[in-house]
Amino acid sequence: MSDRHSLSALMILKLGSLFTLSDEETQALHDLPIQAIDLKSNRDIVRIGDSSLQCFLILEGYASSYKLTPDGQRQIMALHIPGDIPDLQSLYLKRMDCSIASLSPCTVGFFQVEELRRVCARHPRIAAAFWRDTLVDASILREWVVNVGRRDAYTRIAHLLCEFLVRLEAVGLVQGGTFDFPITQANLADATGISAVHMSRALKALRDNGLIQTRRRYLSVPDWQKLQEAGEFDPLYLHLEDNVAAGLLRTSQLETAAL
Amino acid sequence: MSDRHSLSALMILKLGSLFTLSDEETQALHDLPIQAIDLKSNRDIVRIGDSSLQCFLILEGYASSYKLTPDGQRQIMALHIPGDIPDLQSLYLKRMDCSIASLSPCTVGFFQVEELRRVCARHPRIAAAFWRDTLVDASILREWVVNVGRRDAYTRIAHLLCEFLVRLEAVGLVQGGTFDFPITQANLADATGISAVHMSRALKALRDNGLIQTRRRYLSVPDWQKLQEAGEFDPLYLHLEDNVAAGLLRTSQLETAAL
DNA sequence: CGTTGCCCATAACCTGTGTTAACAGGCTCG
DNA sequence: CGAGCCTGTTAACACAGGTTATGGGCAACG
């Protein structure tokens, strides 16, 4: 039971960053029955074509939405972090149009789509918050089209890392510019539409230019300002609440000050 | 008044293809006050950063969502056809994260976001239909990421054309495999993330292979089956209602029979 | 404590696509 | 009716990034 509390806390944090929730609404989310499951890395959670009656919330670890082309190439079109509900679309779409897999060891919490629909019907503002969440996901996808369509590999990767950092920061998973980063170069390549070999080259360039540091399974950003410039990054499209955006700015100042 | 009827008819057709609406719900949509405006080609309708109090419905012509990179490159991340509400996201996002411009002479109908919110509050199933619509748009964006990230220019263009044809067909704008196509090669290039010159080369290849025919401002698809194969096209991601999908299949058979 | 299997790095070579430029056809507009 | 302008075509050349191959580090496991 206390488990439950901490499980949904993350989702509430996320939704709260998009939309201010009342106590009653918060309670309604707390009361959603949820079943937590642990997963190894690289496991499909849902598959393209599935029509599932459940949704899941990421509690720990990272996941990705992806598709395969007929010749076996893979494209990742979304990265998911703790607090995300990657298949929230199942609320209104019958079949999954992509697969979702863990990118690292993960804990995910499953709940019934039916239950979620009920909560949405009873609490229109929660429905609005979820809707808003899916709209932000769509906005991120628009930026990804730009990223993959018009930026060169170096810029593209810098942009991806900027976005990842900001999103992690919003759920409190960045400490002093450093965050957990167990994602392989092959996966990063699939997310940016380049080859794994070239990902290796480009990451080396980013390292050599002092934009990122990779130690073990962690990634650090020593100069947030410079990485943003390298990635042509403007967080507008993340539609953060003003207070969150302000927090980001503050953090970035702290970081640069810490140098 | 009779004007109004025909204006919203298109939107109702579109929503109806996503979700079955009751008479009362249909009426509520009819009653939405809407202001029609004519536009020339290549005019911005909304701009990135705007926080608008209105949404618009495309009544005639095509439009695109796009962003510019700092060095002046353009990426189109969505094509909009009659029946679409390209900035429906304004319902819950404060600022536009992309610009939207006409791709051809257009008629668009503006309505107040506030009015729309009221209709959604009063008619939960309409809200659901709109939500579903935005979810389908997100699904299309996912496919675009795959398209731009992992397919070569030839396949990519074929895929884009397949999608365009299917979406037009769903609102009755295709006759015998032929549809209005006033979109310049430069715009197509921006939508697929390639250069205008290479777009010209690739379109020539598609023509030479008999996959498309371009006459004046129209485009024909003489062999729907072959174009689908060339574009690795699977309409699953468009989340069409079964009856619409069946209609498509029928049409495609008629077409091939007509040859 | 060797084996197996990732993951990453690097080199050599190849190719799809970008770039630049020049030209032709068709619109629009004075 | 000619001047511009936009659109599309084609050619020659350049280069970012793909492909293939090899080797090294390291964790998991028997």
Side-chain angles (χ1 to χ4, degrees):
Chain A
M1 294 303 116
S2 70
D3 237 9
R4 254 195 216 167
H5 187 287
S6 67
L7 294 188
S8 37
L10 207 56
M11 176 171 68
I12 291 160
L13 178 65
K14 169 88 179 299
L15 286 183
S17 84
L18 295 172
F19 220 95
T20 313
L21 297 173
S22 74
D23 290 351
E24 192 198 340
E25 287 156 355
T26 307
Q27 191 58 45
L29 288 172
H30 271 216
D31 292 346
L32 257 181
I34 190 170
Q35 183 194 8
I37 287 184
D38 286 318
L39 285 169
K40 294 192 176 167
S41 191
N42 285 313
R43 295 286 183 274
D44 279 349
I45 307 174
V46 296
R47 288 217 175 79
I48 186 167
D50 284 359
S51 37
S52 62
L53 302 172
Q54 311 191 99
C55 276
F56 69 97
L57 165 69
I58 300 189
L59 298 162
E60 228 183 293
Y62 304 134
S64 69
S65 295
Y66 72 93
K67 294 191 194 185
L68 300 175
T69 59
D71 57 328
Q73 290 187 96
R74 209 166 82 111
Q75 177 69 43
I76 290 176
M77 67 281 297
L79 296 178
H80 307 290
I81 66 173
D84 288 352
I85 306 177
D87 60 347
L88 187 50
Q89 33 161 326
S90 299
L91 211 56
Y92 285 109
L93 298 182
K94 286 199 195 107
R95 294 166 162 282
M96 285 299 299
D97 53 73
C98 61
S99 301
I100 305 180
S102 56
L103 279 179
S104 70
C106 269
T107 311
V108 300
F110 283 94
F111 47 83
Q112 304 301 316
V113 171
E114 208 36 66
E115 302 259 14
L116 199 57
R117 269 203 208 100
R118 200 159 33 232
V119 171
C120 284
R122 235 195 289 274
H123 303 276
R125 298 184 70 255
I126 291 182
F130 279 127
W131 190 350
R132 188 170 198 282
D133 190 43
T134 61
L135 290 173
V136 171
D137 287 344
S139 175
I140 293 176
L141 284 165
R142 279 189 286 275
E143 187 65 32
W144 277 49
V145 173
V146 178
N147 209 32
V148 172
R150 286 297 183 210
R151 295 201 251 259
D152 64 21
Y154 184 85
T155 315
R156 208 183 288 187
I157 298 161
H159 191 283
L160 184 85
L161 294 176
C162 285
E163 177 187 306
F164 202 69
L165 187 146
V166 169
R167 289 173 56 206
L168 283 179
E169 193 124 36
V171 287
L173 290 175
V174 181
Q175 282 113 21
T178 301
F179 52 91
D180 193 27
F181 201 71
I183 304 176
T184 65
Q185 294 187 357
N187 281 323
L188 278 181
D190 288 341
T192 43
I194 66 179
S195 70
V197 173
H198 200 58
M199 178 54 70
S200 176
R201 293 194 273 243
L203 283 176
K204 175 171 161 50
L206 284 167
R207 265 185 268 116
D208 290 350
N209 291 339
L211 296 183
I212 59 172
Q213 287 164 10
T214 51
R215 297 189 316 271
R216 314 256 177 87
R217 321 222 123 221
Y218 288 87
L219 194 145
S220 312
V221 175
D223 188 336
W224 175 227
Q225 196 60 40
K226 269 172 70 180
L227 187 64
Q228 279 180 291
E229 281 160 19
E232 302 179 348
F233 181 75
D234 175 352
L236 169 72
Y237 74 97
L238 293 172
H239 297 280
L240 300 168
E241 289 279 283
D242 293 341
N243 57 340
V244 179
L248 263 178
L249 184 59
R250 202 176 54 245
T251 309
S252 101
Q253 286 169 341
L254 282 178
E255 276 167 38
T256 36
L259 290 181
Chain B
M1 292 303 117
S2 70
D3 236 7
R4 254 196 216 168
H5 187 285
S6 67
L7 294 187
S8 37
L10 207 57
M11 176 171 67
I12 290 160
L13 179 64
K14 169 89 179 297
L15 285 183
S17 83
L18 295 171
F19 220 94
T20 314
L21 297 173
S22 74
D23 291 349
E24 192 199 339
E25 287 156 355
T26 305
Q27 191 58 47
L29 288 173
H30 270 215
D31 292 347
L32 257 181
I34 192 170
Q35 184 194 8
I37 287 183
D38 286 319
L39 285 169
K40 296 193 175 166
S41 191
N42 285 312
R43 296 286 184 273
D44 278 348
I45 307 175
V46 295
R47 287 218 175 79
I48 185 167
D50 284 0
S51 36
S52 60
L53 302 173
Q54 311 191 100
C55 276
F56 69 96
L57 166 68
I58 300 188
L59 298 163
E60 229 183 293
Y62 303 135
S64 70
S65 295
Y66 72 92
K67 293 190 194 186
L68 300 174
T69 60
D71 57 328
Q73 289 187 94
R74 210 166 82 111
Q75 176 68 43
I76 290 176
M77 66 280 296
L79 297 177
H80 307 290
I81 66 173
D84 287 353
I85 306 177
D87 60 346
L88 187 50
Q89 32 160 327
S90 299
L91 212 55
Y92 285 110
L93 298 180
K94 286 198 195 107
R95 295 166 161 282
M96 285 300 297
D97 52 73
C98 62
S99 301
I100 305 179
S102 56
L103 278 179
S104 71
C106 269
T107 311
V108 300
F110 283 93
F111 46 83
Q112 303 301 315
V113 171
E114 206 38 65
E115 301 261 12
L116 199 58
R117 269 203 207 101
R118 199 159 34 232
V119 171
C120 284
R122 236 194 287 275
H123 303 276
R125 298 183 70 254
I126 291 182
F130 279 127
W131 190 350
R132 189 168 196 284
D133 190 43
T134 62
L135 290 173
V136 171
D137 287 344
S139 175
I140 293 175
L141 284 166
R142 279 188 286 277
E143 187 65 31
W144 277 47
V145 172
V146 178
N147 209 32
V148 172
R150 287 297 184 211
R151 296 201 251 260
D152 65 20
Y154 184 86
T155 315
R156 208 183 289 186
I157 298 161
H159 190 282
L160 184 85
L161 294 176
C162 285
E163 177 188 304
F164 203 68
L165 187 147
V166 169
R167 289 174 54 205
L168 283 179
E169 193 125 36
V171 288
L173 290 174
V174 181
Q175 282 114 20
T178 301
F179 51 92
D180 193 27
F181 201 71
I183 303 176
T184 65
Q185 294 187 357
N187 281 323
L188 278 182
D190 288 342
T192 44
I194 67 180
S195 69
V197 172
H198 200 59
M199 179 54 69
S200 176
R201 293 194 273 243
L203 282 176
K204 175 171 162 52
L206 284 167
R207 263 184 270 116
D208 290 351
N209 291 339
L211 296 183
I212 60 173
Q213 287 165 10
T214 52
R215 297 189 317 270
R216 314 257 177 87
R217 320 222 124 222
Y218 289 86
L219 195 145
S220 310
V221 175
D223 188 337
W224 175 227
Q225 196 60 41
K226 269 173 69 181
L227 188 63
Q228 279 181 290
E229 280 160 21
E232 303 180 348
F233 182 74
D234 175 352
L236 168 72
Y237 74 97
L238 292 173
H239 297 278
L240 300 167
E241 288 280 283
D242 293 342
N243 57 341
V244 180
L248 264 178
L249 184 57
R250 200 174 59 243
T251 309
S252 102
Q253 286 169 341
L254 283 177
E255 277 167 37
T256 35
L259 289 180

